[in-house]
Amino acid sequence: MPVVTSALPSWTRLRLRQSAHLRDLCSEISFTTAHLIQPIFVVEGLEGTEPIAGLDGNSRLGLHAGLETIGRDVAAGLRHFLLFAVPSHTGSATADGAFAARVVEAIKRRFGTQLHLWVDVCLCSSTADGHCAISDERGRIDLAATLSALGDLAVRVADAGADGVSPSDMMDGRTAWLRQSLDARGHQPVPIMSYSTKFASQFYGPFREAAGSAPRHGNRAHYQIDVRSRTDAIASSIRCAEEGADLLMVKPGMTSLDLIAPIREATARLVGAYQVSGEYAGLCALGREGLADVDAALLETWHVFRRAGAAFIITYGARRARAIGVPA
Ligand code: PBG
């Protein structure tokens, strides 16, 4: 047996790379704006817009500005949005549900079936301590109270017309609880896109500023996954799939590329990647320093997500996709 098999003759590589037509012929990865999801922050009581530090092209939006922004995005070929409804005060999950429902209603009244509206379901913008769960004074999670509040929130936004819900809290059993709560209200058709493999990460900084959801004490390491754990990371998505998640997700996307294909194979579900705020902001910062062409860099990362097996990509750069050359 030969020890070394012959490599691809280098002339073949050179020949096939010499023109755009040949490079396009040999390309295996493609996607359209239909595979991209644009996050959107609508803030209660805000007039106009407020920039979000680091997240170029993204702002905190009052409801009116939110509708205008979505209108421009739809015209630019986007169909999928992930809504973060940010309440003006903390301490009342019920009041937040009401605000989120008002925003969903307004968006669906204006745009109907022109878009698919996913709604993030979490409590971190409404709990006083900025955590994703309801905890007692010693910081221990009250799972029953948390699940009940999450279920109420999901049902409220579904009643208001949400096209899908996306639980990001990472509490055990929340996907099953949401499915059961939705079904009990006749919302069987509403899909659940679970944040199924979500790591404790340094890359959520700009988001937490935008959503007012930075933990006031401690961190989220007791309910988000440790980056050193591969088995737990895959098991977390398997659990979500078994609990009834329709779509799965890894997050942060760029630091979880290795997990996308294994999760898809283990669950037979489509897996998306969330290019999170710190990842996107990092690319923007490179651009500002004159060290990278941001548009080209973004396109590069999106191709890599697809190469790794991602079905869809949640990215703060979605609204520039058409301008960058992503087909509709
Ligand atoms: C809230 C939530 C977070 C993100 C999405 N939903 C922050 C967190 O878990 O602390 C992060 C998104 C981003 O950084 O773009 N549970």
Side-chain angles (χ1 to χ4, degrees):
M1 291 281 282
V3 182
V4 179
T5 55
S6 67
L8 195 64
S10 64
W11 260 109
T12 294
R13 294 201 299 259
L14 292 170
R15 284 188 197 106
L16 294 180
R17 288 175 190 166
Q18 67 189 313
S19 79
H21 292 319
L22 279 169
R23 290 192 296 273
D24 288 347
L25 179 84
C26 297
S27 69
E28 298 169 83
I29 308 300
S30 65
F31 64 97
T32 71
T33 49
H35 298 101
L36 301 179
I37 304 178
Q38 171 70 51
I40 186 133
F41 299 93
V42 178
V43 182
E44 188 174 21
L46 180 67
E47 290 293 329
T49 70
E50 254 172 36
I52 302 170
L55 280 197
D56 296 8
N58 290 259
S59 300
R60 287 158 51 91
L61 305 165
L63 182 53
H64 182 69
L67 293 171
E68 285 188 341
T69 302
I70 293 171
R72 280 194 297 275
D73 290 342
V74 167
L78 292 189
R79 354 271 210 255
H80 285 270
F81 296 84
L82 175 57
L83 172 69
F84 296 94
V86 185
S88 57
H89 58 279
T90 60
S92 165
T94 324
D96 306 339
F99 174 63
R102 270 207 312 284
V103 177
V104 169
E105 244 165 47
I107 293 173
K108 289 303 289 183
R109 195 179 319 121
R110 174 81 64 96
F111 299 104
T113 56
Q114 284 181 282
L115 53 71
H116 186 105
L117 184 61
W118 299 96
V119 181
D120 186 88
V121 171
C122 191
L123 305 179
C124 61
S125 292
S126 59
T127 51
D129 61 7
H131 278 286
C132 304
I134 297 170
S135 319
D136 65 17
E137 36 329 310
R138 289 167 61 187
R140 290 175 311 194
I141 290 172
D142 183 340
L143 190 58
T146 302
L147 290 181
S148 157
L150 290 168
D152 289 350
L153 184 53
V155 165
R156 278 191 102 134
V157 296
D159 284 347
D163 296 304
V165 295
S166 198
S168 66
D169 53 282
M170 299 311 284
M171 297 303 129
D172 284 345
R174 96 287 198 186
T175 299
W177 182 260
L178 256 53
R179 186 71 273 158
Q180 192 185 318
S181 308
L182 290 167
D183 291 357
R185 287 289 294 250
H187 290 305
Q188 284 86 353
V190 174
I192 299 179
M193 172 173 74
S194 274
Y195 289 68
S196 54
T197 293
K198 175 174 174 178
F199 289 99
S201 170
Q202 288 304 311
F203 291 99
Y204 305 150
F207 171 93
R208 290 179 184 173
E209 289 301 307
S213 73
R216 262 41 117 210
H217 57 80
N219 55 38
R220 304 208 205 285
H222 53 308
Y223 48 90
Q224 299 182 347
I225 302 165
D226 188 311
V227 286
R228 295 168 297 182
S229 166
R230 184 173 192 275
T231 305
D232 190 21
I234 294 173
S236 178
S237 272
I238 293 175
R239 219 166 36 239
C240 271
E242 284 171 352
E243 287 184 26
D246 302 290
L247 293 171
L248 304 175
M249 185 199 306
V250 296
K251 174 187 173 199
M254 290 165 70
T255 59
S256 307
L257 291 172
D258 57 316
L259 297 170
I260 295 173
I263 291 171
R264 190 188 53 202
E265 274 147 35
T267 60
R269 294 285 195 293
L270 296 180
V271 183
Y274 195 147
Q275 181 170 52
V276 297
S277 59
E279 296 178 318
Y280 175 78
L283 297 176
C284 296
L286 278 179
R288 272 194 299 277
E289 294 288 322
L291 297 174
D293 171 341
V294 184
D295 286 344
L298 273 175
L299 194 56
E300 179 179 330
T301 60
W302 298 342
H303 277 124
V304 173
F305 284 133
R306 294 281 289 172
R307 194 186 68 213
F312 56 92
I313 304 162
I314 305 172
T315 171
Y316 298 90
R319 63 168 53 97
R320 53 212 278 184
R322 288 288 289 134
I324 296 173
V326 175

